[in-house]
Amino acid sequence: MKQTALSFLSAILLSAAASYASDEKLVTCSSAIKLTHIESGSKYYLLSDDRQLQSGSGQQLVTAVENNRTPDGLWQIREAHDSPVCDAGTPIRCGDVIRLMHVGTGRNLHTHGIKSPLSNQHEVTGFGSGQGEGDSGDNWTVVCESGGDFCKGGRYWVRDQPVRLKSIDTERYLGASSTVRFTEQNCGRGCPIMNHLEVFGRQTGDQYTQWKVELGVHLSK
């Protein structure tokens, strides 16, 4: 899986080198992005790897971690499940429905009605075949907090600006909280995700559901 991730990054970097435009700050299809959580001080990044939850669905673990260097925080923006393939570098409009595929494992950011282990909200997991294939639980609507960037005939998702991601299936928002973290008390001694934040599907679009794109490999046409 790590070799696959490195091969993907090499290919996307070569493509980006030819097409990157420094004056563009739009989030685009096929870009590999890192999402940082705003309420926790923009220090925690959405992360996954090949570990599984030890409760609930048992699907691939998704947390937020205070580490902006790990490649496990890279997510590729793709078209929605069962939708036509989007062209690399196409700007994402506010209101578009997308998937986020974890670069390292090929599984999609996913939510469903199973309760999350700490806060009893909805689980957020990595789901699918490992090749980006999953189901409608992987679909998220882009909700632009600032109204988006008004250019090219519409409003677009902009890097460094607050955004919410809302699940199509559950109508829950991707969320986390600086106060809901894995500790020795709730995860056990030697917990491998000690001090990670729980990531959950939250009913309300509030301060706990705001994210922004700061880092990544960004493609443009």
Side-chain angles (χ1 to χ4, degrees), residues 6 11 59:
L6 289 173
Q59 292 175 6

Side-chain angles (χ1 to χ4, degrees), residues 103-159:
V103 170
T105 63
R107 291 190 170 88
N108 299 321
L109 187 71
H110 178 92
T111 192
H112 44 227
I114 298 174
K115 288 185 177 181
S116 61
L118 300 185
S119 64
N120 291 319
Q121 299 183 78
H122 281 190
E123 265 189 3
V124 172
T125 64
F127 177 75
S129 66
Q131 301 296 323
E133 297 301 324
D135 63 21
S136 61
D138 308 335
N139 288 344
W140 301 84
T141 301
V142 176
V143 181
C144 300
E145 289 299 283
S146 63
D149 189 28
F150 209 15
C151 64
K152 298 183 181 178
R155 292 189 181 275
Y156 291 84
W157 185 3
V158 184
R159 303 201 297 268

Side-chain angles (χ1 to χ4, degrees), residues 48-60:
S48 190
D49 57 32
D50 56 8
R51 289 176 288 192
Q52 277 70 47
L53 285 162
Q54 299 303 304
S55 62
S57 68
Q59 292 175 6
Q60 184 170 297

Side-chain angles (χ1 to χ4, degrees), residues 77-209:
I77 300 174
R78 304 185 71 180
E79 66 284 343
H81 179 71
D82 282 342
S83 295
V85 175
C86 63
D87 293 333
T90 300
I92 303 297
R93 292 176 181 268
C94 302
D96 277 356
V97 179
I98 62 167
R99 285 177 297 160
L100 289 176
M101 186 191 77
H102 186 246
V103 170
T105 63
R107 291 190 170 88
N108 299 321
L109 187 71
H110 178 92
T111 192
H112 44 227
I114 298 174
K115 288 185 177 181
S116 61
L118 300 185
S119 64
N120 291 319
Q121 299 183 78
H122 281 190
E123 265 189 3
V124 172
T125 64
F127 177 75
S129 66
Q131 301 296 323
E133 297 301 324
D135 63 21
S136 61
D138 308 335
N139 288 344
W140 301 84
T141 301
V142 176
V143 181
C144 300
E145 289 299 283
S146 63
D149 189 28
F150 209 15
C151 64
K152 298 183 181 178
R155 292 189 181 275
Y156 291 84
W157 185 3
V158 184
R159 303 201 297 268
D160 299 321
Q161 295 298 317
V163 70
R164 291 190 173 103
L165 296 174
K166 186 177 183 180
S167 168
I168 289 290
D169 272 13
T170 66
E171 298 188 343
R172 296 281 182 125
Y173 295 89
L174 182 70
S177 170
S178 57
T179 64
V180 183
R181 66 182 68 227
F182 291 92
T183 65
E184 187 173 308
Q185 286 70 37
N186 60 40
C187 187
R189 184 172 296 179
C191 174
I193 52 173
M194 189 79 74
N195 293 319
H196 288 213
L197 304 184
E198 180 187 69
V199 173
F200 43 71
R202 186 167 175 82
Q203 189 169 13
T204 305
D206 55 17
Q207 71 267 33
Y208 302 109
T209 61

Side-chain angles (χ1 to χ4, degrees), residues 19-50:
S19 61
Y20 180 75
S22 60
D23 59 342
E24 290 279 0
K25 296 201 73 176
L26 304 184
V27 178
T28 60
C29 189
S30 296
S31 293
I33 63 171
K34 291 188 175 185
L35 281 168
T36 182
H37 184 243
I38 294 176
E39 181 272 337
S40 57
S42 299
K43 297 183 295 184
Y44 285 82
Y45 291 80
L46 189 71
L47 173 138
S48 190
D49 57 32
D50 56 8

